[in-house]
Amino acid sequence: FSIKSPCFLLFVLFLIGVQSAFFAPVKYSMLPQILRRDQLISANAFMEAGRYLSILLGTLLGGAFLAAGGRFGFGAACLTIILVAIAGYAFTFLFLPHTPHGKGNVKIHLNIFKSIWHNLNVVYRSKGAFLCVLAIAWFWLLGAVMLSQLPDLTSNILHGSTKVFNYLLGLFVFGIGLGAILCRKLLKGDVSVKYVPLSVLVMSLAMVDLAFAILNVQTALGVISFKTFISTFSGVRISFDLFLISLCGGISIVPLNALLQTMGSAHNRSRIIATSNFLNAFFMVAASVISLILLRIGAGTPVIIGLLAISNVVVALYITKLLPDYAVRSILFFVLKSLYNVKVKGFENYQNAGKRTLIIANNNSFLDPLLLAAMLPDDIAFVVDSTIAKRFWVRQFLKLVKHFPVDPTNPMAVKSVIDEIKQGRKVVVYPEGRITTTGSVMKIYPGPAMIADRSGADILPIFMQGTQYSRLSYFGRKLRHLPSNVQFAINILPATPLNLAQNLKGKERRAAAENKVYDLMAYMKYRSSDIDVTLFRSLIEASDFAGHSTRALEDLERKGVSFGTTVLGSFLLGGKLAAYGEYGEKMGVMLPNANACVLTIFGLMAYGRVPAMINFSAGIKNILSACKATGLKTIFCSRLFVARGDLGPIVEAIEAAGVKIVYLEDVKKTINLADKLRALVYGFFPYRAYKITNPKPDANSPAVVLFTSGSEGVPKGVVLSHRNINANRHQLSSITDYGLQDKFFNALPMFHSFGLVCGLFMPILSGAGVFLYPSPLHYKIIPELVYDRNATAIFGTDTFLNAYAKSAHPYDFYSVRFAAVGAEKLKDETFKIWSEKFGI
């Protein structure tokens, strides 16, 4: 620039091209040496985004320096060029790690054409590398043509100002950079081109629309400003199409570059990338020549972009034909992501899994294999039941993935699977051998355990969550609708070895391995549950899940309360009860098993108060000790309950100790129209309302206080957090198949953990209904009520269940699916009578 010689400028430009020809292959081939495979996508994404950001910045700065003119513009341009060169040189020495050169003697031929031809042959012999190189070269051709047409499009067709050109250029470059970063998010470290075919097809559609948009542009008089351009429909349409083209280009180029870096050996990687760069330059020059010829013969920018779109469709179809599985997986990903918003959690565990890995997964629906194939890397294979594999529609899907048809009843059929794992492929197997009908762990086949044991593979547990409620499941068909708050998720847990004892042989070893797989299946369901939420938040979610009109509670008065009314009633009653104490204060609850007791508990929780469940059968001394230890100032009770339970002396003693007794009957009288309207609004918007009533919900904060007899008759207070109780109920659900179809019968007092956590929180927070009965001692009445209310689950101690069985008619428990025993050891007599008399 200083000597103002065009010939010397061209010579310097040639030297810069030579420097780039050396630098680019070295830069890209270094990445596999200094990074892990799962980091290549991120590295290439940042490099592409940085490259195009630099192009944009350099173009804008160059334009600014040119516009400034004079000595200042010339000096600023020269200084910037020199500073950038020095900075690049310095960063190379200061930050780039040392990498050894590839092995092998490389002969440099003076005949560059012979060297190029030799390298092209090397690349051509590898089908994957050749396709990758061609795809990258095509991307550069597209970019060169689009960028070369921007000046003509801006000046001669749009009649736009310099700001319009800078805007379109910036939009195009920004789109490529954003596409590169978006690709990083989509692939999550998986070096795969599964999204390339679809992105190329979308790019083609955008090009076609851009060509028609340009044809429909109205010729304007004078120069169009940026503000005018962006305010017109044509301006918005052209901007959107240009951005979509560049976005898809960014999504395409990143995985192609990363894939090319993984091909070939270390000693010829640079030459493969150099060959790719040569073809990139060749394609760009060819595209420029063709564009120039088309312009000379009168074909304008719309024709050139239209021809490019048609060519791009041909390329997309060619890629799709060569890579049909990638194309279908790409489409599957976007369709499933759009329909179900699937989340993949713990993907780093997949990346950290060893070379020998067996994936065990639960199977909730026909959707599960599709989700795994679309969302996980393409290096997995599926073990499929040979009977199911023969179905027509299943065969079409299996054409796209590596799979092994296996008879689950034939232990010898797993040999091929073991060999595949030993070769380093991750294999997905469903230990249950079928789609679940319960949502919990069902029968476990010995095959998966044998595969893991004999292949020496680590087990990678994957738990599919929410898919059991889809239309394509056996369990979900029992629902009338798909709950709005159901989240489809793929939960990937850390890989774990079997760790079987060496001295175990034969049947004992197979049994131990099978038990280990069962434990992992149960454990991964628990680990995939969200226990870090408050109980009232869980109640709101259960209401959405089960349906607001579904019955949640019923008591001896035969008053049914729906889930929606339970939430609304908790807001209504809780608002009045909260006025008797401060936020976070412990407040006593001395009520029988009834709907009012449940609304009181959840009402206090809704407003950040902690219910302390008073054991009214513990005697005056222990009750007063409990009040003193907890620091209670208020206890909520019922006049009717005090009268029927003959609790007058206890109430008098509590009041004499300075603790206030508040009766629910009196609280009910204070509820006015404003309170009801507020609760109604809260009931319609429970999530937002809960943020108002409890602004600082904390799962680790106290949820409830219970009192036990303790050791040696000394009473003890136990504070359970929301997380404690949620953990307990999710642990139970991981080994028990209960759900929306169940109705629980709870006669156990809720001042004990068994009655409160198992009898109330476990069912109702899972969307199941509960019938509440005030006393477990009514041995003849309870079986009759279980029969009358069609209860499917009942809780009790050994003593209670034994007494119920002796008093019941053989048909009273016909609807009961299971009886849960706690607090005492189950005696043989009780087990025998329930088994023989009721078949339970």
Side-chain angles (χ1 to χ4, degrees):
F1 281 116
S2 180
I3 64 175
K4 300 179 181 179
S5 169
C7 292
F8 191 63
L9 274 175
L10 290 173
F11 175 65
V12 172
L13 188 62
F14 169 77
L15 292 180
I16 292 174
V18 173
Q19 186 266 348
S20 297
F22 273 95
F23 181 62
V26 173
K27 175 178 67 174
Y28 281 106
S29 59
M30 274 183 65
L31 293 181
Q33 290 182 281
I34 61 177
L35 299 174
R36 300 191 311 269
R37 180 184 172 92
D38 61 296
Q39 294 175 320
L40 289 178
I41 289 292
S42 294
N44 281 278
F46 288 128
M47 284 174 64
E48 291 301 322
R51 180 219 299 271
Y52 285 97
L53 180 63
S54 300
I55 290 174
L56 177 62
L57 185 61
T59 305
L60 295 177
L61 281 175
F65 294 149
L66 181 65
R71 291 181 176 273
F72 173 77
F74 168 72
C78 292
L79 181 63
T80 302
I81 290 170
I82 294 170
L83 288 178
V84 169
I86 293 173
Y89 190 72
F91 270 76
T92 301
F93 278 96
L94 294 176
F95 296 104
L96 280 184
H98 173 73
T99 54
H101 61 76
K103 296 180 181 180
N105 298 321
V106 180
K107 293 181 179 180
I108 306 297
H109 297 282
L110 293 178
N111 187 337
I112 61 172
F113 299 103
K114 186 176 181 180
S115 296
I116 291 171
W117 185 253
H118 172 74
N119 289 336
L120 283 173
N121 280 328
V122 171
V123 174
Y124 182 74
R125 284 196 292 268
S126 172
K127 179 183 176 181
F130 184 65
L131 284 174
C132 198
V133 166
L134 284 181
I136 293 172
W138 181 254
F139 165 81
W140 282 97
L141 183 148
L142 290 176
V145 172
M146 295 301 301
L147 287 174
S148 67
Q149 296 307 307
L150 279 184
D152 182 67
L153 171 64
T154 306
S155 301
N156 301 327
I157 299 177
L158 302 178
H159 299 285
S161 64
T162 304
K163 287 185 178 180
V164 173
F165 171 75
N166 290 335
Y167 160 71
L168 293 177
L169 176 64
L171 189 67
F172 187 78
V173 173
F174 173 74
I176 294 177
L178 183 64
I181 299 301
L182 179 60
C183 181
R184 173 177 175 266
K185 295 289 185 182
L186 289 174
L187 290 175
K188 296 182 174 65
D190 176 29
V191 180
S192 169
V193 294
K194 58 185 174 183
Y195 303 127
V196 171
L198 184 61
S199 61
V200 174
L201 286 171
V202 173
M203 192 189 305
S204 301
L205 295 176
M207 284 182 179
V208 171
D209 189 69
L210 179 62
F212 282 107
I214 295 172
L215 284 173
N216 293 327
V217 168
Q218 299 293 327
T219 304
L221 297 175
V223 178
I224 301 298
S225 66
F226 167 71
K227 186 176 181 181
T228 303
F229 172 74
I230 201 66
S231 62
T232 63
F233 172 74
S234 295
V236 174
R237 184 180 175 185
I238 290 171
S239 300
F240 176 77
D241 289 335
L242 196 63
F243 175 74
L244 191 58
I245 292 167
S246 60
L247 182 76
C248 292
I251 293 174
S252 302
I253 192 63
V254 169
L256 288 170
N257 282 334
L259 186 63
L260 192 63
Q261 291 159 12
T262 64
M263 293 179 173
S265 56
H267 74 273
N268 66 359
R269 185 180 295 128
S270 293
R271 276 173 288 170
I272 291 176
I273 296 174
T275 305
S276 175
N277 287 353
F278 167 76
L279 284 178
N280 296 343
F282 180 80
F283 272 52
M284 284 191 289
V285 172
S288 301
V289 171
I290 294 171
S291 299
L292 184 61
I293 294 172
L294 289 173
L295 288 173
R296 286 292 177 90
I297 64 175
T301 298
V303 175
I304 293 174
I305 294 177
L307 290 174
L308 195 65
I310 295 171
S311 304
N312 203 49
V313 170
V314 174
V315 171
L317 293 175
Y318 179 65
I319 294 174
T320 303
K321 182 179 178 182
L322 291 172
L323 304 169
D325 52 339
Y326 284 129
V328 175
R329 283 187 180 196
S330 180
I331 295 170
L332 271 177
F333 174 85
F334 285 103
V335 170
L336 295 173
K337 190 76 173 175
S338 302
L339 287 176
Y340 302 112
N341 190 27
V342 185
K343 302 291 184 184
V344 180
K345 304 175 183 178
F347 188 77
E348 66 280 0
N349 294 323
Y350 184 94
Q351 295 172 324
N352 296 333
K355 291 185 177 180
R356 292 188 178 186
T357 302
L358 175 69
I359 298 174
I360 62 168
N362 62 318
N363 194 4
N364 292 329
S365 72
F366 289 107
L367 266 178
D368 294 10
L370 292 175
L371 291 173
L372 289 178
M375 303 294 168
L376 293 185
D378 48 27
D379 61 342
I380 61 174
F382 291 84
V383 175
V384 186
D385 189 310
S386 55
T387 304
I388 296 177
K390 294 177 183 177
R391 297 178 183 178
F392 172 77
W393 68 271
V394 176
R395 290 202 309 270
Q396 309 313 309
F397 166 72
L398 293 178
K399 291 178 182 178
L400 305 175
V401 295
K402 180 72 175 177
H403 64 282
F404 304 95
V406 170
D407 181 358
T409 62
N410 181 11
M412 300 304 295
V414 300
K415 285 186 176 181
S416 58
V417 182
I418 294 173
D419 293 338
E420 196 73 16
I421 292 175
K422 288 182 177 180
Q423 293 174 12
R425 182 182 287 273
K426 293 182 176 68
V427 176
V428 179
V429 63
Y430 296 105
E432 294 166 287
R434 57 162 298 169
I435 295 175
T436 182
T437 58
T438 66
S440 294
V441 183
M442 297 177 66
K443 175 183 176 182
I444 300 296
Y445 283 94
M450 290 173 57
I451 293 172
D453 188 27
R454 294 183 182 179
S455 64
D458 288 344
I459 295 179
L460 184 68
I462 295 182
F463 183 76
M464 306 298 296
Q465 191 172 10
T467 53
Q468 67 268 32
Y469 304 114
S470 72
R471 299 284 185 182
L472 296 174
S473 72
Y474 293 139
F475 180 79
R477 288 173 186 165
K478 297 176 183 177
L479 290 177
R480 295 177 182 175
H481 65 284
L482 184 64
S484 59
N485 66 328
V486 168
Q487 172 68 65
F488 283 17
I490 301 174
N491 299 281
I492 308 174
L493 277 64
T496 179
L498 273 179
N499 284 335
L500 299 178
Q502 295 297 324
N503 60 338
L504 290 176
K505 305 293 180 182
K507 291 183 179 180
E508 291 183 354
R509 189 173 186 85
R510 286 196 297 272
E514 190 176 333
N515 289 337
K516 185 67 178 279
V517 171
Y518 179 89
D519 290 342
L520 279 173
M521 294 284 289
Y523 178 66
M524 71 184 189
K525 181 178 181 182
Y526 165 70
R527 277 291 304 274
S528 301
S529 304
D530 187 8
I531 63 174
D532 291 312
V533 292
T534 61
L535 297 181
F536 190 74
R537 168 79 184 204
S538 298
L539 176 66
I540 299 174
E541 292 175 351
S543 179
D544 283 347
F545 177 63
H548 302 294
S549 61
T550 302
R551 179 172 293 184
L553 301 170
E554 189 178 6
D555 59 14
L556 198 56
E557 301 295 326
R558 301 298 176 92
K559 293 180 180 179
V561 180
S562 68
F563 275 96
T565 305
T566 302
V567 173
L568 188 151
S570 298
F571 278 125
L572 178 61
L573 183 59
K576 306 302 282 186
L577 301 182
Y580 290 93
E582 301 294 328
Y583 185 82
E585 181 178 330
K586 298 176 181 66
M587 309 184 79
V589 176
M590 191 168 68
L591 292 166
N593 285 16
N595 295 342
C597 179
V598 178
L599 294 179
T600 300
I601 293 170
F602 281 120
L604 291 172
M605 290 180 176
Y607 287 81
R609 276 61 172 178
V610 183
M613 308 303 295
I614 302 299
N615 182 351
F616 44 82
S617 65
I620 293 177
K621 179 182 177 181
N622 288 336
I623 292 175
L624 294 179
S625 296
C627 294
K628 183 178 180 181
T630 317
L632 295 181
K633 299 177 183 178
T634 308
I635 292 179
F636 299 106
C637 196
S638 164
R639 294 185 187 278
L640 182 62
F641 175 54
V642 170
R644 289 183 176 178
D646 197 20
L647 301 178
I650 294 177
V651 170
E652 293 174 2
I654 291 173
E655 290 180 325
V659 180
K660 184 177 182 180
I661 297 290
V662 177
Y663 294 104
L664 296 185
E665 290 89 344
D666 298 336
V667 173
K668 183 178 179 181
K669 294 177 182 178
T670 65
I671 297 175
N672 53 37
L673 181 61
D675 296 325
K676 293 179 180 179
L677 291 175
R678 185 186 303 109
L680 186 63
V681 173
Y682 283 1
F684 276 112
F685 307 100
Y687 293 102
R688 293 184 180 181
Y690 186 43
K691 292 180 180 179
I692 299 172
T693 61
N694 189 1
K696 299 178 181 179
D698 181 9
N700 291 307
S701 65
V704 67
V705 180
L706 299 172
F707 299 96
T708 71
S709 59
S711 59
E712 300 178 358
V714 180
K716 293 181 179 179
V718 179
V719 181
L720 296 176
S721 70
H722 298 269
R723 193 175 191 274
N724 292 152
I725 295 173
N726 268 323
N728 287 167
R729 72 181 184 90
H730 283 302
Q731 285 167 343
L732 284 165
S733 69
S734 68
I735 59 170
T736 312
D737 59 333
Y738 69 90
L740 301 177
Q741 70 276 15
D742 286 304
K743 184 171 185 178
F744 288 71
F745 188 95
N746 182 29
L748 295 173
M750 286 189 284
F751 50 71
H752 282 319
S753 181
F754 195 13
L756 184 65
V757 176
C758 298
L760 176 65
F761 290 140
M762 187 182 86
I764 197 172
L765 298 183
S766 301
V770 184
F771 185 92
L772 301 168
Y773 191 77
S775 173
L777 301 176
H778 300 166
Y779 300 145
K780 293 184 178 181
I781 298 175
I782 287 174
E784 188 67 33
L785 282 172
V786 170
Y787 173 74
D788 180 62
R789 307 317 295 162
N790 297 313
T792 61
I794 184 171
F795 293 103
T797 65
D798 177 83
T799 302
F800 295 152
L801 291 180
N802 188 289
Y804 301 155
K806 291 179 178 178
S807 303
H809 183 276
Y811 208 72
D812 280 345
F813 294 121
Y814 85 98
S815 60
V816 173
R817 295 198 302 113
F818 66 87
V821 186
E824 298 173 351
K825 183 179 179 180
L826 176 63
K827 296 185 178 66
D828 292 338
E829 179 192 356
T830 308
F831 179 82
K832 184 177 180 180
I833 192 172
W834 275 81
S835 299
E836 294 179 353
K837 190 172 182 179
F838 309 112
I840 297 173

